[in-house]
Amino acid sequence: MAEIVIQGASPAVYGQSTRPPRGDYARGGQVNTDYTCPQNYAAYTAADHDIYRRLYERQSALLPGLACDEFITALPLLGVKTQIPRFEKINDRLYRATGWEVVAVPGLIPEVPFFTLLANRKFPVTDWIRRPDEFDYVVEPDIFHDLFGHVPLLFNPVFADHMQAYGAGGLKAHALGACEQLSRLYWYTIEFGLIQQKSGLRAYGAGILSSAGELAYAVKSSVPHRIALNLLRAMRTRYKIDSYQKTYFVIDSFQQLFDMTAPDFTPLYAALQRLTELPADVQAPGDVMASAVMA
Ligand code: HBI
Ligand code: FE
């Protein structure tokens, strides 16, 4: 994934699309060098709170039978459902649980500041919310995607450790020029990952869990491929940022994800130099297809 370059209003490159970043990165000098900024709670309008309430209400009703157990258990720890939560209230609980805290950022930030925050157990949460006309889809992660999609699993100790390790790995990847490959792994796990649980196939990726349409599609549809997670396979596979995924990768547990990604990736990056990239919608030799979706 190309480095995100944010200089004032110049276009940001995020994934394959370039467009100006949504956030206000100047904020009258309130954005720190690590891209964090205060959550300006007073700036939220009644309409902003109402959009959050409606998104939370709709999405939480869709979760049973589709979201993983750990997510459903932790979701109430976000606190208030009828208005945008105060980050410091979430942090009171989150820091005690796993040493993580959420920090406000104006939107997408460059990869090194992003990885640095994760490596320090700080999850960057965009502090603005989508407009009413973007209710079903917002092109850039907003506060609902980040809070509802990403934060509940940070209460899970194993997943929380994986997220910190991912941040540390991201800084190493940046030094090796391998951010593109590593961002595919992020995409196919932390954003769009599936997990095989006793009760059946479930979603753990934030991009799925925060999407009204993709949640049932990812877990139940017969259209996409579902492949047991293999690091090289995931890091070879291009992805689409503005449509449902054609391929999902499946893990057996968060411990498996943590164990698989713990070793140093340098040999993997070397191996990837000799492997072709794969389109998002193909099956490849060696793919272990995930077991059939249980009814
Ligand atoms: N910035 N705020 C924010 N949130 C993200 O999820 C994010 C980012 N910058 C870069 C990025 N994600 C991806 O390039 C990751 O693969 C690193
Ligand atoms: Fe995300």
Side-chain angles (χ1 to χ4, degrees), residues 1 4 14 105 107-109 111 114-115 166 183 186:
M1 174 152 331
I4 291 188
Y14 179 65
V105 290
L108 291 176
I109 62 176
E111 272 152 337
F114 179 70
F115 291 135
Y166 179 87
S183 67
Y186 185 89

Side-chain angles (χ1 to χ4, degrees), residues 213-226:
E214 193 156 2
L215 181 51
Y217 169 84
V219 177
K220 301 280 186 198
S221 168
S222 58
V223 169
H225 299 305
R226 293 181 182 88

Side-chain angles (χ1 to χ4, degrees), residues 19-23 47-48 50-52 54-56 58-59 126-145 210-213:
R19 52 182 157 63
R22 280 283 289 272
D48 291 335
D50 194 50
I51 289 179
Y52 184 88
R54 288 171 53 222
L55 284 166
Y56 190 107
R58 177 178 71 171
Q59 202 60 25
T126 290
D127 69 346
W128 50 261
I129 196 159
R130 67 192 73 181
R131 298 186 306 264
D133 63 293
E134 300 170 306
F135 191 73
D136 286 325
Y137 180 73
V138 58
V139 69
E140 198 169 308
D142 72 340
I143 192 168
F144 183 76
H145 166 84
S210 59
S211 162

Side-chain angles (χ1 to χ4, degrees), residues 123 141 145-146 150 186 191 206-207:
F123 191 83
H145 166 84
D146 282 337
H150 283 285
Y186 185 89
E191 290 295 353

